[in-house]
Amino acid sequence: MRDSLSVAPGLAAWGLMMGVAMMKSGMSLTESLLMGVMVFAGSSQLAAIPLLMAGAPMWVILATGMCVNLRFVVFSAHMRAYVMHLPLWERLVTGYLTTDLTYVMFTKRFPSHEADDAQRLGHQAYLAGNSIVNWTAWVGCSVLGVVLANFIPTPWGLSFAGILALLGILCSLASSRLRVVSAGVAGAAAVAAFALPFKLNVLVAIAAAVALCLILEESGRVRQEAT
């Protein structure tokens, strides 16, 4: 579970964005809640929502979701050797809960499927623990986004959901102290230079963050050499 906890904030932000996006796309509260709980597939949800807004036929939406999720056929083929000893219902639950992140973490932790009974139990515990953390972060915040969407002004629409998506990416990438500092500096510089024309504040923010990080890295290297 500790492996998934490190990425849970990013997943939670993405889930929150997804809940807001579903409501702003015109789906009803019931439809959004059902999709948020039953469809545990962020990429296919992101692909389906614009199609729903455009009024695309159902077969087009289903075909798009299937194509987006084709990679799970490969994942399933690889995972077969790890889970074929389980009852069918456990394999179905495992398939529902497995995502890109849990698959990558699991195969990195257990590169070989050959194991005795005790090791297989360890495989199941690792996969179940990480999957539960991811599912809780994603689905919980998707439902929260559905509920909070009514408090977001209509003119903000999907633009606000886009901001939440970027926040999710930011949370996922802020994995070290230096990255957190650079994100803070970039944000402060972007706000301070907001009045500049042509959105030059973005360039100012990038330049300020890169310059500060280079200075901090160089000073750290000098201190290490001195010691």
Side-chain angles (χ1 to χ4, degrees):
M1 295 178 74
R2 281 180 298 181
D3 290 343
S4 280
L5 285 174
S6 62
V7 299
L11 282 175
W14 273 99
L16 188 65
M17 178 276 297
M18 186 58 62
V20 174
M22 285 189 290
M23 288 296 290
K24 295 301 179 184
S25 69
M27 296 174 66
S28 68
L29 176 63
T30 303
E31 291 170 339
S32 299
L33 288 174
L34 285 175
M35 188 177 192
V37 174
M38 297 176 66
V39 184
F40 185 39
S43 52
S44 62
Q45 285 175 266
L46 280 175
I49 286 176
L51 296 175
L52 288 170
M53 294 180 65
M58 183 56 66
W59 70 268
V60 172
I61 298 171
L62 293 176
T64 301
M66 185 186 71
C67 291
V68 170
N69 284 330
L70 277 178
R71 66 191 185 282
F72 283 99
V73 175
V74 179
F75 294 173
S76 299
H78 186 205
M79 292 287 289
R80 184 176 186 277
Y82 291 93
V83 299
M84 276 308 291
H85 64 285
L86 298 174
L88 177 61
W89 72 270
E90 286 191 44
R91 277 181 274 150
L92 291 174
V93 172
T94 300
Y96 167 71
L97 292 175
T98 299
T99 63
D100 302 74
L101 282 174
T102 49
Y103 169 77
V104 170
M105 289 177 180
F106 180 80
T107 53
K108 184 179 178 182
R109 178 70 175 268
F110 305 105
S112 174
H113 61 80
E114 295 180 358
D116 55 28
D117 289 344
Q119 290 170 327
R120 284 178 177 173
L121 194 60
H123 292 177
Q124 293 171 241
Y126 182 87
L127 189 58
N130 286 322
S131 296
I132 289 171
V133 171
N134 286 347
W135 186 89
T136 303
W138 177 267
V139 175
C141 286
S142 290
V143 173
L144 182 62
V146 170
V147 175
L148 295 179
N150 291 326
F151 297 97
I152 298 172
T154 302
W156 293 10
L158 289 176
S159 299
F160 184 73
I163 294 172
L164 292 179
L166 293 177
L167 181 62
I169 296 173
L170 176 65
C171 292
S172 301
L173 295 178
S175 56
S176 68
R177 186 177 301 174
L178 189 60
R179 290 183 178 183
V180 172
V181 171
S182 65
V185 170
V191 173
F194 185 75
L196 292 176
F198 308 117
K199 296 193 180 297
L200 289 174
N201 61 321
V202 177
L203 292 179
V204 171
I206 294 172
V210 170
L212 179 66
C213 289
L214 289 175
I215 293 172
L216 291 175
E217 280 189 334
E218 181 63 18
S219 62
R221 186 181 64 80
V222 170
R223 279 199 302 271
Q224 284 184 345
E225 290 178 353
T227 56

